[in-house]
Amino acid sequence: MTDTPTTGPQGGPDPTAAAAASPGTALVAGSAGVIGAHAAAEYARLPGWTVRGAARREQPGVPWRALTADLSSADGAREGLAAARDTTHLVFAAYVERGDELQQVRDNTALLRHTLDALDGAPLRHVTLYQGGKAYGAHLPGFKTPARESDPRLLVPNFYYAQEDLLRAEADRRGFGLTVLRPEGVVGYATGNPMNILMVVAVHAAISRALGVPLRFPGSRAAGEALYQVTDAELLARATVWAGSTPAADGEVFNVTNGDQFRWVHAYAAIARHLGMEHDEPQDFSLTSVMPLHEGTWRRLVDEHGLVPTPYERLVGWPFGDFLFHSGFDNVSSTVKVRRAGFGECLDSVERFCELVDRLVERRVVPAFR
């Protein structure tokens, strides 16, 4: 008998039940990031699983065994992952962003190759790889929506394609299964990981309140009115565990989002109401240029409210916010395929933003708004 729940968060079948019934040993590469941290935590929640998380930086207080590994070099990966030679399930969430597209192809493909090579001989049963909207051209001036997994690749170089080709070749050679998941705008919190739109919204709101100004959507009108979608990090973690233990997911690519779309102008208004803040019309400005000017205000808030003392430059990725808030076209992916395969979870994204900001307040990441 087991006390593992058999129903999911929304009352339906628990998508992680199969994993709980057949435990293994999970290794999450990139466990200090938003996606990796939530995936490792979800596996650690399941009874019987051995869970390790590999990252370049420290991972204090985590519920999994933390490994320090530099996956950018073959030697670093081999040494750092030496204790993970019994891995049955690899979750690959490691990522580096530098240089142009070709440099990103080289660097990110090397991360995956070094990790797979370091685990050569391990009893791998499944590997989960993450991609994203860039597979469809979300970083370019518009793309066909709703995006479907069967859409053709782009001519523009993309490390997603190179990683997937490498993974499929290794899976054929070594006999393990694989699943590729494509989230968009992942929302969650991981200490010192700024590439997260939740932190952009929460810190922008906190500083606006501290300065006594209304909360305004800080992007272009086109972006504010366009349809957008996000993927909750906890939902994605459950999809990851599901994919690693579900035959219907083997070899497949799935879009994984909350299942709804929203417009930023409406989301900002709803978040302001939830936080008890005044709200005003959108005001297009550069977060990258303006928000660093308010570092002193943030330091004062940290001192006054006893917040987690994360360095300001590691707290929020303002350029990431500028990119999303100036993408003036619909960003919509179809989730029909993953639902038909058996993963049917969905969330109200705006409600979830409000819930997660409240959680940041509880964790003293941002100050209380009331």
Side-chain angles (χ1 to χ4, degrees), residues 41-53:
E42 183 64 23
Y43 268 111
R45 182 185 71 83
L46 301 176
W49 279 82
T50 298
V51 185
R52 301 183 181 95

Side-chain angles (χ1 to χ4, degrees), residues 22-42:
S22 181
T25 301
L27 170 65
V28 179
S31 55
V34 174
I35 293 176
H38 284 82
E42 183 64 23

Side-chain angles (χ1 to χ4, degrees), residues 4 11 85 90 104 110 116 125 132 148 177 188 194 220 251 258 263 293 303 313-314 322 337 369:
T4 301
R85 301 282 295 172
L90 170 64
Q104 290 184 29
L116 292 172
R125 303 203 302 255
R148 301 182 186 278
S220 68
N258 288 356
R263 304 183 198 278
L293 303 177
D303 293 340
E313 66 274 8
R314 290 178 56 193
D322 276 333
K337 182 180 177 181
F369 288 84

Side-chain angles (χ1 to χ4, degrees), residues 98-112:
R98 59 173 175 246
D100 59 14
E101 287 86 353
L102 291 178
Q103 184 67 46
Q104 290 184 29
V105 169
R106 288 191 292 269
D107 290 348
N108 285 285
T109 306
L111 293 178
L112 178 58

Side-chain angles (χ1 to χ4, degrees), residues 61-314:
V62 295
W64 57 85
R65 181 180 175 187
L67 303 178
T68 301
D70 180 4
L71 305 181
S72 66
S73 76
D75 289 342
R78 187 166 50 252
E79 294 170 7
L81 301 181
R85 301 282 295 172
D86 57 345
T87 297
T88 61
H89 289 68
L90 170 64
V91 177
F92 191 81
Y95 168 68
V96 61
E97 182 169 1
R98 59 173 175 246
D100 59 14
E101 287 86 353
L102 291 178
Q103 184 67 46
Q104 290 184 29
V105 169
R106 288 191 292 269
D107 290 348
N108 285 285
T109 306
L111 293 178
L112 178 58
R113 180 178 295 281
H114 296 156
T115 301
L116 292 172
D117 287 350
L119 297 178
D120 200 0
L124 274 180
R125 303 203 302 255
H126 189 272
V127 177
T128 300
L129 178 68
Y130 300 105
Q131 296 181 352
K134 287 185 178 180
Y136 302 117
H139 56 311
L140 302 174
F143 62 104
K144 181 178 73 68
T145 57
R148 301 182 186 278
E149 296 88 345
S150 57
D151 290 346
R153 289 182 174 185
L154 307 176
L155 190 61
V156 178
N158 192 317
F159 73 85
Y160 292 154
Y161 308 153
Q163 284 186 328
E164 183 179 343
D165 290 345
L166 169 62
L167 181 59
R168 290 188 183 278
E170 285 297 296
D172 288 344
R173 183 176 73 85
R174 294 160 61 172
F176 57 76
L178 69 91
T179 306
V180 178
L181 301 181
R182 290 178 176 169
E184 173 61 34
V186 178
V187 179
Y189 174 71
T191 303
N193 192 287
M195 297 291 287
N196 186 344
I197 197 62
L198 173 65
M199 294 304 297
V200 173
V201 173
V203 176
H204 175 220
I207 291 178
S208 295
R209 184 174 185 83
L211 296 177
V213 300
L215 184 61
R216 302 179 177 96
F217 172 65
S220 68
R221 183 163 295 277
E225 295 289 350
L227 289 174
Y228 191 59
Q229 60 187 353
V230 294
T231 304
D232 186 88
E234 293 180 12
L235 182 149
L236 180 59
R238 291 190 290 273
T240 298
V241 174
W242 166 84
S245 303
T246 303
D250 186 22
E252 300 293 340
V253 178
F254 295 113
N255 296 327
V256 179
T257 72
N258 288 356
D260 65 352
Q261 295 86 43
F262 60 90
R263 304 183 198 278
W264 280 114
V265 289
H266 299 157
Y268 253 74
I271 292 168
R273 287 193 298 270
H274 176 76
L275 299 177
M277 293 183 63
E278 292 184 17
H279 176 260
D280 210 335
E281 290 296 307
Q283 187 174 64
D284 189 354
F285 66 91
S286 169
L287 292 166
T288 304
S289 299
V290 172
M291 297 310 293
L293 303 177
H294 298 296
E295 181 175 357
T297 299
W298 181 256
R299 288 180 178 175
R300 174 171 59 80
L301 291 174
V302 171
D303 293 340
E304 291 179 355
H305 296 268
L307 304 181
V308 177
T310 305
Y312 192 65
E313 66 274 8
R314 290 178 56 193

